[in-house]
Amino acid sequence: MGFPIVSVVMITYGHEKYIEEAINGVLMQECNFDYELIISNDNSLDNTDSIVKKIIENNINSDKIKYFNHEKNLGMMPNFIFTLNQAKGKYIALCEGDDYWVNKYKIQKQVDFLEKNQDYIISAHRVDELINNTIQTGDWRYNKRKVNYTLPDYLYRLFFHTSSVVFRNKEIP
């Protein structure tokens, strides 16, 4: 694997029911660039660790995975910051261990948009939610009439679901 264009940041704690689907949704991505998946397990007390290790052993794309299993629970925000600090890509995508992607071109589409639109720093999209085995079409709190948002829009009201976000890694020029 060459230098990753996208670093997918995945924090997890107690996600044994969801982590396999979350990882597979990332590893199915088809794109014309390299990407990495950084998984940071915050000392889960369930079987998350063994599930991740099994995927690393058996998945053809496991070379894309960097896995960290903390010996001590850091807490959500310290674990997230730790994981962000591992990201080497020009772009960072978020997918938590209890979320998953269904579109195999997701990061390709978002990177293409950001590459063509240098004045944008983030790309996000509508998400659907699976609630009680029923898919809820998500408009996830955003204003359907707007296409472009500014920082004050976002600060006023959080409206991007984390699993939809790809943004520029300001640490990487």
Side-chain angles (χ1 to χ4, degrees), residues 131-150:
I131 300 171
N132 297 325
N133 293 321
T134 303
I135 293 179
Q136 308 277 327
T137 301
D139 56 7
W140 225 79
R141 297 188 252 175
Y142 71 95
N143 181 339
K144 294 178 190 172
R145 294 181 300 265
K146 284 187 90 165
V147 175
N148 297 304
Y149 294 91
T150 63

Side-chain angles (χ1 to χ4, degrees), residues 141-163:
R141 297 188 252 175
Y142 71 95
N143 181 339
K144 294 178 190 172
R145 294 181 300 265
K146 284 187 90 165
V147 175
N148 297 304
Y149 294 91
T150 63
L151 183 58
D153 290 331
Y154 186 70
L155 293 175
Y156 174 71
R157 184 174 186 182
L158 175 65
F159 49 82
F160 296 144
H161 194 283
T162 54
S163 65

Side-chain angles (χ1 to χ4, degrees), residues 91 109-122 148 168:
Y91 300 99
K109 291 176 182 181
Q110 289 182 276
V111 166
D112 286 348
F113 173 82
L114 290 168
E115 285 289 305
K116 291 176 187 160
N117 297 278
Q118 294 295 315
D119 49 334
Y120 287 78
I121 59 168
I122 191 169
N148 297 304
R168 295 183 193 282

